[in-house]
Amino acid sequence: MTRLRHYLPTIAVAVTVLLAWELLVVAFDIQQFLLPKPSAIFAEFAYQLGLWLAPDERSILFESSGATFWEAIGGFVIGCGSGVLVALITSRWTIISEATMPFAIAANSVPIIAFAPIMNNWFGITNPASKMAIVAIIVFFPTMINTVRGLTLVDARQLELMRSYAAAPSEVLLKLRIPNALPYIFSALRVASALSLIGAVVAEFFGGPRATLGVYITQEASAFDFAKAWTAIMMASIIGIAFYLAVLFLERRLMPWHVSFRVE
Amino acid sequence: MNAIEARGIHKVFNPGTDEEVVALQDIDLQVASGEFLSLVGPSGCGKSTLMRLIADLLPQSSGELRVNGKAPAQARLDRDYGMVFQHATLYDWRSVSKNVQLPLEVMGYAKAERAKRAQAMLDMVELGDFVEHYPWQLSGGMQQRVSIARALVFEPSVLLMDEPFGALDEFTRERMNLELLRIWQATGTTVVFVTHSIAEAAFLSQRIVVMTPRPGRITRLVDNPLPYPRDFHTRSDPDFHALVAQLRDLLRDAHEDQP
């Protein structure tokens, strides 16, 4: 009951916005290629869901969503995994991390999505690896930068405590630096979860297999079937939010002690 | 044997630059094994610096320093001392028990032994019912007791305490003082205690080192005539008041010597 009350304002806002949207489209007679009604989008979604669930039918929308989801996940795992790994290696030697950090920070400000056509040339336009590569590069830099920060910005007193125990560097890494870096890593992963889906969809705008969300959206939009395009956008949003929540769930499981999750 | 011996210790920060500071000058000090000794003085008198030299967290500029007859670096490697800082410095991601077990993990004790010792130490500081709690769920005084348990859990022969109760309120502080004396008498550990509270130094220690700043040096070593065990009544004892007055005069005289 208290949970419901907690979410009630959010639900009320969502319902109000959808109702207003529906009424505005009807009242001003807005053409469906400018802005379809939410009811039309939900109807298309229900139709596609029916196709997907039927044993002898195909839903291109759901196949596209699955393909884009795997591109995003694959790139996320490769990019974030190597980001953490490279951070662990560079932070072991202060000289290396100090020498590489300016480049990492500079690279983080580059619009990496501009490399999408290059990746299409390298890996092949229909090969999911070309999209994963873009996603991996996009999420690599924020993950690496944040991890290096978490590993190096350690309270001086906590380091002195370890020194007083004559702890080996590996012990300091395992028992102090890595736990200290976890909140930094997770804040990077949360950003990366959103970035990876954006990266995958936008990379697909530059070309890809038929059954991917980016290609689906561009094709349906150019065919003026905007209810379909909007349904695909909704699918991308659902996947993005689910991905973000999954990271948040993992974060709560791994760091129940963290200040943001404390309940008295 | 003396737990700590210092002869002609100098410590200069930023030597040869405009920011050169003589933190310690001509420090001679012997601390007997099992003794409770306090270093008292105003900020900048070098008392914390002296403690950090003993702990091998800083190197001295010159002079000879021995901890249990060894160079401080060797004493640190042999885990001869436990340290308590002004801030409890607990690890947020570890439960109370796991925080106390931290030094044992680093030192390679077996798991069952670690849990047993941590429980025994936490019982001693009267936190036996809080082993599964996390640091943020404890008050400041309780956190500091955890950090004392953590410093003592591997049974070091020397306990170095750098203003451990400085951040606590007066009531908690007096209770912690009593508790510390009880622990000291139960374990026989040598205690070197840094404080800027004259009353705290007078209440706790057998001997009090009065230090003064610019440059940091030892002004006087004062023997404490008060008998043990000490309790709440000790603070109303005329001898206690006389000692506090004597220490205050020493610190004031030293200040008036300043140019």
Side-chain angles (χ1 to χ4, degrees), chain B residues 75-192:
Chain B
R76 181 171 64 84
L77 291 175
D78 292 346
R79 282 105 182 207
D80 279 0
Y81 69 83
M83 187 130 191
V84 180
F85 301 91
Q86 177 173 2
H87 188 268
T89 324
L90 302 177
Y91 288 4
D92 283 343
W93 50 89
R94 286 175 168 255
S95 67
V96 164
S97 173
K98 288 281 181 193
N99 263 293
V100 175
Q101 290 180 41
L102 176 70
L104 301 178
E105 283 178 27
V106 172
M107 294 168 198
Y109 284 74
K111 196 175 175 195
E113 175 75 6
R114 291 203 305 261
K116 203 182 84 190
R117 283 190 180 224
Q119 183 67 54
M121 280 320 299
L122 286 166
D123 284 341
M124 187 164 86
V125 297
E126 286 164 358
L127 285 174
D129 296 333
F130 293 87
V131 285
E132 293 308 321
H133 281 60
Y134 279 81
W136 58 271
Q137 296 169 308
L138 306 182
S139 69
M142 289 158 93
Q143 291 188 9
Q144 201 52 282
R145 266 142 69 194
V146 176
S147 102
I148 293 171
R150 182 182 59 187
L152 288 171
V153 73
F154 56 99
E155 294 174 353
S157 64
V158 178
L159 183 60
L160 303 175
M161 307 183 88
D162 191 358
E163 295 185 31
F165 310 134
L168 304 182
D169 64 76
E170 194 64 28
F171 302 106
T172 314
R173 188 175 187 150
E174 289 188 3
R175 217 157 37 77
M176 296 292 290
N177 283 345
L178 279 174
E179 203 151 348
L180 177 60
L181 282 184
R182 184 174 60 75
I183 292 168
W184 169 61
Q185 279 165 332
T187 57
T189 310
T190 310
V191 181
V192 180

Side-chain angles (χ1 to χ4, degrees), chain A residues 160 163 165 175 179 257, chain B residues 52 56 76 79 93 105:
Chain A
E160 281 191 341
R163 183 177 157 85
Y165 301 147
K175 297 198 195 309
W257 45 268
Chain B
R52 295 161 70 79
D56 188 40
R76 181 171 64 84
R79 282 105 182 207
W93 50 89
E105 283 178 27

